[in-house]
Amino acid sequence: MDRMIYLSMSGAKATMQRQDVLANNLANASTVGFRAELHAFRSVPVEGSGASTRVYALESTPGYSDAPGVVSNTGRPMDVAMRGNAWLAVQGLDGTEAYTRGGSLETSADGTVVTHGGLTVLGDGGPIQVPANSEVSIAADGTVSARGANGRSATVGRLKLVTPEAPLERGADGLFRAPDGDLPADATARLQDGALEGSNVSPVETMVAMISAARQFEAQMRMLQTAENNEKSAAQLLSMS
């Protein structure tokens, strides 16, 4: 009896966690540069006396999908889409270096190049400062140039682009970091200016997966009810004997 309860209970809990992952992916289907979070089930034996034959089903997140998103031309000079496996280095709110594929950039009030969310974009030598009233352009290698009112263009920095050899780790802030510390700048990394990479989440596939998870959860809850009814029936038979 308890085997059925363990199977259905742990399965229902894992399915709920899977629905959370799918819901988060679907909510970010239109987020620039978003990487879909992967999900998988794994079996974990229950420890303890008399429980060696019991196994929990747990939801795990092995990482993210590295499939490229659709690149759309925007015509905006400070929009950039990283090519290949290149990532843009930014400074997280905790002060650490992090990486993103979201390339919607702008300048803050003091001329610092920041992301659309206000995070400082890092250059090869730190934050990049743009003179006031300048037109900014970004080359394919990440070089940032500013053209002043006099029509002269000057290089003010170069975006730090990295190409990780191993998968990055997603943090609670949605940014990615290397497990072994900051990555060096990759001089061969390239980007496309005037364009943005969209999310790599497929809304249709995610919706189908959410429907499947909902039906699976309903089946597991019915199994719990069946186990409860069986236990009541067994108790009644014992009381009558």
Side-chain angles (χ1 to χ4, degrees):
M1 188 70 64
D2 64 328
R3 294 185 182 182
M4 182 185 294
I5 294 175
Y6 269 115
L7 287 172
S8 54
M9 177 190 66
S10 62
K13 181 179 179 182
T15 303
M16 287 184 63
Q17 293 171 336
R18 181 189 180 196
Q19 288 178 315
D20 289 341
V21 172
L22 292 170
N24 181 64
N25 285 344
L26 188 61
N28 287 280
S30 60
T31 300
V32 174
F34 182 80
R35 285 293 181 261
E37 189 173 4
L38 301 177
H39 50 85
F41 289 110
R42 60 190 179 96
S43 300
V44 179
V46 179
E47 298 181 357
S49 177
S52 58
T53 60
R54 310 298 184 265
V55 177
Y56 273 127
L58 295 181
E59 164 77 4
S60 62
T61 52
Y64 58 91
S65 170
D66 59 358
V70 177
V71 176
S72 303
N73 292 319
T74 65
R76 185 172 174 270
M78 294 195 70
D79 283 345
V80 294
M82 273 54 70
R83 294 181 176 177
N85 193 36
W87 292 72
L88 176 66
V90 298
Q91 186 177 55
L93 294 178
D94 59 357
T96 62
E97 181 172 306
Y99 309 104
T100 180
R101 296 278 294 193
S104 180
L105 309 182
E106 55 192 43
T107 55
S108 63
D110 62 356
T112 304
V113 178
V114 297
T115 65
H116 181 70
L119 298 176
T120 299
V121 175
L122 299 178
D124 289 345
I128 300 174
Q129 296 287 332
V130 176
N133 302 320
S134 299
E135 295 182 5
V136 180
S137 61
I138 302 176
D141 64 350
T143 299
V144 181
S145 302
R147 177 180 296 178
N150 57 6
R152 296 180 180 179
S153 182
T155 299
V156 294
R158 182 179 179 182
L159 301 178
K160 182 178 180 180
L161 301 174
V162 303
T163 304
E165 296 181 359
L168 302 175
E169 296 179 352
R170 190 198 309 265
D173 55 2
L175 299 174
F176 292 80
R177 293 173 175 81
D180 298 326
D182 299 345
L183 297 175
D186 182 4
T188 64
R190 292 293 181 268
L191 55 80
Q192 179 179 343
D193 66 307
L196 289 175
E197 179 188 17
S199 170
N200 66 354
V201 174
S202 170
V204 175
E205 291 181 2
T206 306
M207 281 297 299
V208 171
M210 289 187 67
I211 294 172
S212 176
R215 291 177 177 174
Q216 185 177 2
F217 180 78
E218 292 173 357
Q220 288 157 343
M221 294 305 296
R222 286 196 298 268
M223 187 180 294
L224 271 175
Q225 295 173 354
T226 300
E228 182 181 5
N229 293 334
N230 290 345
E231 185 175 358
K232 289 181 180 179
S233 299
Q236 291 177 354
L237 290 175
L238 287 175
S239 62
M240 294 172 59
S241 60

